[in-house]
Amino acid sequence: MPGEASTVPPLVVDHATKAYPGRRRDTVVAVDDVSFTIAPGAAVSLVGASGSGKSTIAKMITGLEKPTSGMVTFGDLSVNALHGGGLRDYHHRVQMVFQDPYGALNPLHTVEYTLTRPCVNFLGMSARDAKQRADELLETVGLTPADQFAPKLPHQLSGGQRQRVVIARALACGPGLIVADEPVSMLDVSLRAGVLKLLANLRVDHGLSLLYITHDLLSARVVTDEILVLHGGRIVERGVTKDVLQHPKDAYTVELLDAVANPYADAPAAAPTAGPVATSTAGH
Amino acid sequence: MSLLSAREVNVAYLPSRGQRIWSVRDVDLDLDEGEFVGLVGESGCGKSTLGYALTRMLRPPARLESGRISFDGTDIATLTGEELRQQRRNGFALVLQSGMNALNPVRNVGHHFADILKAHAREGEQHSKEAMHERGAELLGKVELDAEVLDRYPHELSGGMRQRVAIALALALEPRLIVFDEPTTALDVVVQRAVMQTIKDLQREQKFTAVLISHDLGVVLEATQRVLVMYAGRIIEDQPSGDLLTGVHHPYTEALLGCYGDPRAETVELAGIPGSPPDLSLPLVGCAFEPRCPLGIEICREVVPPLAPLGRGRAACHVRAPSAAVVAVPEGATSAR
Amino acid sequence: MSILSSQPPPVDTATLPEVKAKPGGQGSSLPVPVLFVGRGIRTLWSNRKARVGLILIGLFVLMAAFAPLLAPHSPTSTDFTPYQGPSSTNWFGTTGNGEDVLSQLVYGARVSLLVGLTAGVGATLVAVTLGLISGYRPGFLDEGISFVTNLALVIPGLPLMIILAAYIPSRSIWTIVLVVAFTSWATGARVIRSQATTLRTRDFVASAVFSGERPLRVVFREILPNMTSLVAASFFAASTAAVMAEASLEFLGLGNPTTVSWGTILHNAQQQNALLTGQWLLVFAPGLAIALLALSFTLVNFGVDALSNPRLREK
């Protein structure tokens, strides 16, 4: 059931462009002539600021949007041409992890319902088998004991727990490629490592390909081997993650690196030796 | 004398169903004139609630259950209506997280300024359109925006510009204290830097007291002189910003610092804090961080650690900053675990 | 001076739990729709205005259900002296035909409730179907349905109803139900379409698509359940309108003259110049009944608002 590296085809984005008619009779180009390949079992990150076109690319890869020009292929399957049943079958193999843990789960459905649906739809499982698989998935993502979490509703879970459920749902049908759209940016910093480590381990265990979309360069470094830097819809830099981050060539990459608020890299505000701080801590 | 002084502030959320949630517990706080203080913590730690409580902006179901808040000598915790409004003029202001939410989408920027200036105008102050326009342009200039922005509507501005407008509006009444609630969180990573720089410069020039609320320790350490770390509704550390990267601190602060790193370093590790924050609708016994703390000892489970001296500041930790005021656990008391 | 109303809970030796408490507590032994309605009614009951509305509706339902027991006489019997004021046999007096007004009033509840609720249900069904279909998928279907909805919104309701009722040959309650439902669905459809458009962009809908759910299931199992308060509000609004519309049509004489309904009482009262003969009860009683029934639906709607917006909930 889990995808194996040898059976996961490469995902190729070939000169894809997405243009929308703008509000004032001009065209808004969200994605501009983007080409890249996600090799079987590879982990690639797509970094850029909001509005850079990251989400549009994610939608084109998962078939939710069609490029205005160019092609997206998964092996010899043309993703552009899919709709209806074909698109549904495609989602058996290519899944998405969403950004907002508070919006990605239907507030009225239990965790068990959310996890069993893909098993029933894609794997043709009976209700009982699906429930069992749901329990297994919960264990895999660290939500144990499974029977404690299965009947819960989303509002009873913390942000980190919800995101684990979202990942479990994406894994349920045994896909080969996962597109993770900013999966931890809405989580607390202290919770991110846990969820990202889970994602990284799952990728290795199941031989998945991973497209990790983010604006956080630190996690891109940890989770992925290759990086694509997106600015204004174009890829401005690409390469091995460590190399690109240590030796950025494009000005925008440099800007992104500078913008990372890292307490260790930047000198903090002038450390006062006397003044307001001293008087406020004394005598209260 | 401190500009803002809070004692034993407790804030609770009363949902229509379910338990009361204590989101701020026993906070004592002093802010001096011209200080730039950061309030840091993760989701649910109570930092925004505290910021709102200090500026008297709490709305039901949140309620200031107890405590004294004294602004420039006046107790503002009990003020309501007109008296409170008077305090806001030349008193304190709040800048919200999302500029878009703070701005009325069907009025242009100039109208927003006019609104505030008219509402709080003192006797004999100019009401003319030109005067308002001039004042608006002046304020926009302080946040590095062009005067022509006065004629624009919020949706015509970028996120960063909207946030600058929100800041300029906060400055309109020349407040002596401004609380910034996650002013850059909703902004693009690159724009965040620029807006934070503007806030820093403004604070230095205008010398108002500023409180920066953020979940991002990096942003706070860069901009502020003093940092307060909150966890589960309490302030658990209070240090000069410069000191936070060196020396010994509250285990939570250290763990939090450990989650950050330089993507450019030779080897990079992603660290987190295992477990999750406690459920605030339940009574908390002892130190709230204890279940996740590598240093926990018996007293941590039983007694809430008070803020005690640590380095040049204070921390609430029985292990790192033991306090003489804490009574030893009496004989025969059960240790619950 | 300080506000000291309460302190944080005292320290006790309870262990720190790892699992948050469940809101309802019981296991799900009952089917979900029943639990849903149960929870809905409980929430409505906790809202003061809605509680009054529910009680009123309950009273009218009882009145309609037990009409034979409650009414002192048969509503159609013309045994009594006509044009009488209130007396010991006829508490509310008699009509020009010698019928007992009180009995008519009691039996009339049946028609008003039946028509009001049925037309409300009908209008809501149409509104939900059209609203969901056009809200879920942008495109020709959406454009087409929106156009028809806007058309229906623009045409004045009462005149259209009058024309339809006048031209339809059969004169029965069901004609009225159909006519009323046919003219009241548009507002609900518009509102439901907006909400559906908002919800379809939410991640959990995309998530359902990724889980392999087919469009019909996405619409009815993912989107619709998140709109229950909106649908409930539409239903109560449509029912209110239906009660008023039915009364209006009967009053104008466009209904079946042999039906006993509050509207026909008013119609007869008008024909028989009740106000001139001093029988103001003939006008006041059915008028008040209609107003109260419509009011009760509106009051319940206040509670429905609170269902979806927690800030409006009263503590």
Side-chain angles (χ1 to χ4, degrees), chain A:
Chain A
M1 244 173 284
E4 287 156 7
S6 55
T7 57
V8 180
L11 181 106
V12 178
V13 177
D14 187 22
H15 294 288
T17 301
K18 182 74 183 174
Y20 297 101
R23 229 182 291 166
R24 298 163 215 263
R25 260 188 283 134
D26 55 353
T27 5
V28 174
V29 180
V31 177
D32 193 356
D33 195 23
V34 160
S35 305
F36 63 90
T37 305
I38 304 176
V44 177
S45 55
L46 187 59
V47 305
S50 34
S52 56
K54 307 186 305 238
S55 290
T56 316
I57 292 181
K59 288 192 192 146
M60 288 199 290
I61 292 178
T62 49
L64 297 180
E65 294 251 14
K66 312 281 181 239
T68 329
S69 69
M71 296 232 306
V72 178
T73 47
F74 189 52
D76 45 9
L77 183 65
S78 171
V79 179
N80 318 16
L82 294 173
H83 45 250
L87 192 55
R88 224 174 302 129
D89 291 337
Y90 182 58
H91 289 153
H92 187 163
R93 308 164 71 196
V94 174
Q95 276 288 336
M96 188 133 144
V97 171
F98 299 90
Q99 176 177 7
D100 180 4
Y102 294 88
L105 297 174
N106 190 326
L108 301 170
H109 288 151
T110 59
V111 167
E112 184 177 312
Y113 180 90
T114 305
L115 294 180
T116 49
R117 290 312 300 163
C119 302
V120 168
N121 287 328
F122 289 125
L123 305 173
M125 285 180 156
S126 69
R128 189 179 334 157
D129 290 340
K131 162 116 182 64
Q132 192 174 338
R133 178 147 173 83
D135 288 342
E136 286 165 12
L137 286 165
L138 284 170
E139 308 257 336
T140 313
V141 296
L143 292 174
T144 51
D147 51 0
Q148 201 182 334
F149 283 96
K152 282 202 191 280
L153 291 171
H155 72 266
Q156 299 170 286
L157 302 172
S158 70
Q161 289 167 336
R162 283 187 221 208
Q163 217 48 344
R164 285 167 194 264
V165 172
V166 169
I167 292 174
R169 190 208 57 78
L171 279 179
C173 61
L177 166 68
I178 290 195
V179 176
D181 188 358
E182 307 229 34
V184 294
S185 50
M186 295 186 78
L187 295 181
D188 281 328
V189 165
S190 66
L191 300 174
R192 291 181 193 181
V195 174
L196 286 176
K197 278 191 187 142
L198 173 67
L199 207 52
N201 289 340
L202 288 170
R203 182 182 81 78
V204 168
D205 291 344
H206 297 256
L208 305 170
S209 311
L210 174 68
L211 179 65
Y212 176 57
I213 300 177
T214 184
H215 60 259
D216 172 26
L217 298 174
L218 183 68
S219 57
R221 175 79 197 270
V222 170
V223 174
T224 62
D225 309 308
E226 291 170 59
I227 188 172
L228 303 160
V229 181
L230 202 62
H231 179 48
R234 297 175 148 267
I235 296 184
V236 297
E237 192 159 357
R238 66 177 82 204
V240 171
T241 315
K242 180 169 165 180
D243 292 342
V244 169
L245 293 179
Q246 286 183 330
H247 309 287
K249 296 195 191 66
D250 185 87
Y252 184 68
T253 316
V254 175
E255 222 181 309
L256 270 182
L257 279 165
D258 279 343
V260 170
N262 173 16
Y264 295 100
D266 314 301
T273 44
V277 173
T279 48
S280 66
T281 49
H284 279 295

Side-chain angles (χ1 to χ4, degrees), chain B residues 35 62 138 158 241 277 322:
Chain B
E35 254 200 303
E138 187 193 329
S158 72
S241 311

Side-chain angles (χ1 to χ4, degrees), chain B residues 56 64 67-69 74-81 83-84, chain C residues 1-4:
Chain B
R56 291 299 318 281
L64 183 63
R68 294 185 299 283
I69 303 173
T74 321
D75 184 2
I76 60 169
T78 46
L79 290 184
T80 49
E83 294 170 348
L84 191 54
Chain C
M1 227 188 3
S2 62
I3 310 169
L4 275 169

